[in-house]
Amino acid sequence: MPYSMKLKDWVQECANLCKPDSIYWCNGSDEEYQMLVNKMLEDGTFHKLNEETYPNCYLSYSNPNDVARVEHLTFICTKNEKDAGPTNHWKSPDEMKKIMREVYDGCMKGRTMYVVPYVMGPLGAPASKVGVEITDSAYVVANMKIMTRMGQKALDSMKDEYDYVAGLHSVADCNPERRYIAHFPEEYLIWSVGSGYGGNALLGKKCFALRIASWLAREQGWMAEHMLILELETPDGKKSYITAALPSACGKTNLAMMVSALENEGYKVKTVGDDIAWMYIGDDGRLYAINPEAGFFGVAPGTNPKTNPNAIASLHKNSIFTNVALTKENEPWWEGYTKEKPEGMKDWQGKDYSGEGNAAHPNSRFTAPAAQCPCISSEFENPKGVPIDAILFGARRATNVPLVYEALSWQHGVFVGATMSSETTAAATGAVGVIRRDPFAMLPFIGYNAGDYFQHWLNMGKKLGDKAPKIFHINWFRTDEDGKFLWPGFGDNARVLKWIHERMEGKADAKATAIGNVPTPDALDTKGLDVTKEQIEKVLDVNNANWKSELPGMKEFFDKFGDTLPKEMWDEYKALEQRLG
Ligand code: GTP
Ligand code: SPV
Ligand code: MN
């Protein structure tokens, strides 16, 4: 996986361009972290939170113009435009580099250039990979320390001086007019400028582990996916492993860490990963997954001791909070943390909170070490990863899409993934709540032509044969006429996992519908649940007339691909059309 320049030479080249005052190579030690923290406390980037209740935790505010991923400024820069495909923004590598070089030129004057080597994946795992991020943001370095295996151990993991994915990042003047997140997958290179936030700036995450990695994965026969990985312990004491792809801010962290409502019945959930899965075919022919990350960069709003106690426990020490509100007790707060808003808060820009609007930004986040999660799986560091039994695709849809359904085959499952649609969220800039197609929850993250990506999924299914995981679709967000969620969600989602598990064992009943197999109302365990039978019927309902109205959107999406769309996708489209009558 070689970059074209030796690491030292590339660092020098970046320094020549960005002209920092000094260069600092990160070793990843705790002393170094403390040094960065002290520097950020001094310059006001960090605010220290209540040491008694949130030891070693810090609050940071981003520039108000820089609060989420910027999909309209994210580019896949391949030599041929067709290789980026119809779902990505494209510029030629030469043109993009020319534009960005002007922004990079001298952008680190008066600043330190940090060189951040990091490993994505457990140390020593065959599937793990090294990246090096150059950045002028101490905040980014601190986040990378939590999110990845960072420092000397990454340098030690390199097979030779070329064995890394290169990422150059500068906040520069944080100007939205001069902000670009560019990927050069043919060169194993990422350039990001003008943003210091989340996936725009922590280059190991979406830029490397999804966009560059998905390109590599296609070349090398594996998969890089926007998926949580969870461990499901069942009453027989066995463990099965499930991955789930849900779009940004649609419930991956929550599903991965859920406290099962069916613990008494023997269904328990543990976390292997909450955002990204790298999957490969093992020696036994099964699909295995590792979590390339070492921490959680989780959505704060909605997280509370009831909805996600494990996240709350994870973030109570050694964590960074970005764009949350601050209470009088010097503790972080966000919408949905408590029912009552505390008096006398500062909002996410540090101003006195008036009580109007959001105190925390809707995309405010916590950065917490995965090892602190009470329900982290014992397999989290397993270099082999975990064998996957089921793959779930999920969306945020108020209408039409039932709580859960089972795909009829791998090929049909690929069609279900390819035609996913979901309401947009605050995780990216732009309108919120607009339904858009989001294939495999990867629309913003596929680093190449999505038509080729669908083909790659079909190819992986052929290689896996009868060892392929079963595919399901989930939707926790269906609402009634008054806009209220029909399904309680969170820990009660274990009831859906139970049905999925029993389906795989050939035990649970299902009703065949046009879109796939849906639980019969009796097959879903609703014991102790405070919902009416009518509500359950509603949340499981598949209405053919409504589904027919979904078809034109799918067709319009597929039409964009021309001859890069696998023929099998049209076959499945026609079969669905027929089943709908
Ligand atoms: P990214 O980190 O952006 O990729 O997001 P994610 O998919 O991990 O989403 P996350 O689990 O953080 O959830 C996003 C929002 O959805 C939070 O506000 C949650 O409280 C809410 N949420 C998660 N699960 C459920 C559920 O089962 N029901 C309902 N109603 N809301 C949920
Ligand atoms: C997402 O948007 O899917 C995230 C947050 O997980 S970010 O790291 O900003 O991409
Ligand atoms: Mn994500």
Side-chain angles (χ1 to χ4, degrees):
M1 231 189 33
Y3 183 57
S4 62
M5 294 178 84
K6 284 188 184 171
L7 178 55
K8 283 212 172 74
D9 296 340
W10 174 66
V11 170
Q12 191 53 52
E13 190 192 65
C14 292
N16 293 346
L17 178 60
C18 301
K19 305 177 180 66
D21 280 15
S22 60
I23 302 177
Y24 177 88
W25 286 71
C26 296
N27 60 32
S29 68
D30 292 339
E31 293 73 33
E32 176 183 273
Y33 187 78
Q34 201 50 54
M35 179 271 288
L36 291 166
V37 164
N38 290 342
K39 179 188 138 41
M40 287 189 279
L41 287 172
E42 242 163 66
D43 70 18
T45 306
F46 265 7
H47 168 86
K48 186 163 173 53
L49 293 170
N50 189 320
E51 178 63 24
E52 254 157 58
T53 50
Y54 287 86
N56 198 28
C57 288
Y58 305 92
L59 165 59
S60 181
Y61 304 125
S62 72
N63 190 315
N65 78 32
D66 184 29
V67 294
R69 281 184 298 99
V70 282
E71 296 181 1
H72 61 297
L73 302 172
T74 298
F75 292 82
I76 301 297
C77 305
T78 45
K79 284 189 210 116
N80 297 319
E81 184 170 2
K82 199 177 175 189
D83 291 335
T87 60
N88 281 312
H89 301 292
W90 176 87
K91 272 196 192 339
S92 78
D94 287 346
E95 189 190 352
M96 194 77 232
K97 283 183 183 169
K98 185 161 173 281
I99 295 169
M100 291 181 76
R101 262 197 203 103
E102 274 176 34
V103 193
Y104 280 133
D105 190 6
C107 69
M108 294 187 191
K109 272 182 196 153
R111 298 183 195 174
T112 301
M113 186 175 105
Y114 299 96
V115 182
V116 186
Y118 60 94
V119 178
M120 297 310 284
L123 291 180
S128 292
K129 298 198 178 337
V130 177
V132 179
E133 172 164 2
I134 289 177
T135 178
D136 55 4
S137 162
Y139 166 87
V140 164
V141 180
N143 276 271
M144 289 294 281
K145 155 97 168 147
I146 298 175
M147 294 304 295
T148 70
R149 282 92 175 166
M150 188 272 265
Q152 185 59 41
K153 48 189 175 257
L155 295 177
D156 296 342
S157 304
M158 287 168 64
K159 291 186 195 80
D160 58 45
E161 292 167 284
Y162 300 92
D163 180 30
Y164 64 102
V165 165
L168 173 59
H169 168 255
S170 173
V171 182
D173 55 355
C174 200
N175 180 350
E177 303 294 318
R178 287 145 51 92
R179 180 174 292 159
Y180 301 98
I181 321 297
H183 306 72
F184 308 92
E186 287 143 335
E187 299 172 63
Y188 310 105
L189 176 66
I190 304 155
W191 275 12
S192 163
V193 77
S195 164
Y197 202 83
N200 300 330
L202 312 177
L203 301 187
K205 202 172 174 57
K206 298 301 166 43
C207 299
F208 178 0
L210 289 179
R211 299 194 190 96
I212 299 287
S214 65
W215 175 287
L216 284 170
R218 176 178 171 239
E219 278 183 351
Q220 301 170 352
W222 51 283
M223 308 169 100
E225 301 296 335
H226 192 204
M227 289 178 171
L228 67 91
I229 309 166
L230 70 79
E231 178 181 293
L232 179 67
E233 193 180 313
T234 44
D236 52 13
K238 288 197 193 124
K239 287 171 179 169
S240 54
Y241 294 90
I242 297 176
T243 60
L246 297 110
S248 302
C250 289
K252 287 183 299 301
T253 302
N254 281 270
L255 184 56
M257 294 182 195
M258 83 152 86
V259 176
S260 161
L262 301 181
E263 278 224 19
N264 292 340
E265 286 188 42
Y267 291 90
K268 281 182 216 151
V269 170
K270 292 208 161 141
T271 312
V272 182
D274 83 323
D275 197 48
I276 299 174
W278 283 358
M279 303 193 285
Y280 66 98
I281 300 178
D283 294 336
D284 58 0
R286 297 184 66 189
L287 191 64
Y288 283 77
I290 63 163
N291 172 10
E293 301 192 282
F296 311 122
F297 185 63
V299 175
T303 308
N304 68 50
K306 255 197 160 147
T307 56
N308 194 345
N310 287 315
I312 295 292
S314 308
L315 56 74
H316 254 282
K317 54 183 182 188
N318 309 318
S319 296
I320 300 170
F321 297 84
T322 308
N323 292 347
V324 301
L326 182 67
T327 69
K328 276 192 308 218
E329 287 71 40
N330 201 24
E331 294 178 345
W333 190 88
W334 45 79
E335 274 62 31
Y337 187 56
T338 51
K339 264 218 181 85
E340 302 293 323
K341 289 182 187 178
E343 292 288 315
M345 283 194 292
K346 302 259 190 235
D347 70 10
W348 65 274
Q349 296 179 53
K351 298 187 190 118
D352 288 333
Y353 177 59
S354 67
E356 292 289 309
N358 293 320
H361 188 276
N363 190 37
S364 54
R365 300 255 169 182
F366 58 84
T367 316
Q372 289 182 185
C373 182
C375 62
I376 197 76
S377 161
S378 58
E379 303 301 301
F380 171 62
E381 298 274 3
N382 186 338
K384 234 181 104 178
V386 293
I388 301 303
D389 298 293
I391 294 175
L392 320 186
F393 299 128
R396 185 185 282 271
R397 286 291 309 266
T399 59
N400 291 9
V401 183
L403 180 66
V404 59
Y405 62 98
E406 177 190 49
L408 305 173
S409 63
W410 180 272
Q411 178 176 305
H412 177 238
V414 173
F415 172 78
V416 169
T419 54
M420 271 167 69
S421 61
S422 194
E423 290 154 27
T424 52
T425 66
T429 55
V432 168
V434 180
I435 297 180
R436 69 167 183 186
R437 303 236 84 83
D438 190 348
F440 296 80
M442 282 283 282
L443 176 75
F445 309 123
I446 301 172
Y448 57 99
N449 191 316
D452 295 334
Y453 171 89
F454 303 155
Q455 185 62 58
H456 181 52
W457 265 81
L458 293 170
N459 296 348
M460 289 297 289
K462 287 209 183 87
K463 279 192 213 159
L464 287 161
D466 60 5
K467 293 191 171 125
K470 293 270 175 296
I471 297 177
F472 296 81
H473 190 286
I474 53 175
N475 175 29
W476 312 143
F477 301 96
R478 200 169 188 175
T479 56
D480 63 14
E481 300 77 24
D482 304 326
K484 269 182 58 195
F485 291 122
L486 282 164
W487 179 251
F490 302 104
D492 285 308
N493 294 330
R495 300 169 190 277
V496 174
L497 296 183
K498 178 183 175 183
W499 180 78
I500 287 170
H501 178 72
E502 289 185 342
R503 261 328 264 177
M504 294 189 295
E505 304 262 287
K507 288 184 203 152
D509 282 339
K511 179 179 140 194
T513 77
I515 61 168
N517 300 321
V518 176
T520 57
D522 293 338
L524 197 64
D525 184 344
T526 55
K527 236 175 286 144
L529 198 57
D530 187 24
V531 293
T532 61
K533 192 154 183 246
E534 195 198 354
Q535 216 171 321
I536 296 295
E537 276 163 13
K538 263 192 196 161
V539 81
L540 293 175
D541 182 52
V542 176
N543 181 303
N544 281 7
N546 291 344
W547 270 89
K548 272 187 207 167
S549 69
E550 300 270 337
L551 287 172
M554 294 180 189
K555 181 170 184 304
E556 191 189 333
F557 181 61
F558 279 176
D559 277 336
K560 286 190 194 168
F561 290 91
D563 62 2
T564 53
L565 190 81
K567 176 190 152 291
E568 289 87 342
M569 293 299 95
W570 283 123
D571 294 344
E572 289 294 337
Y573 176 86
K574 281 175 207 140
L576 172 63
E577 201 173 29
Q578 243 169 29
R579 289 195 301 268
L580 287 168

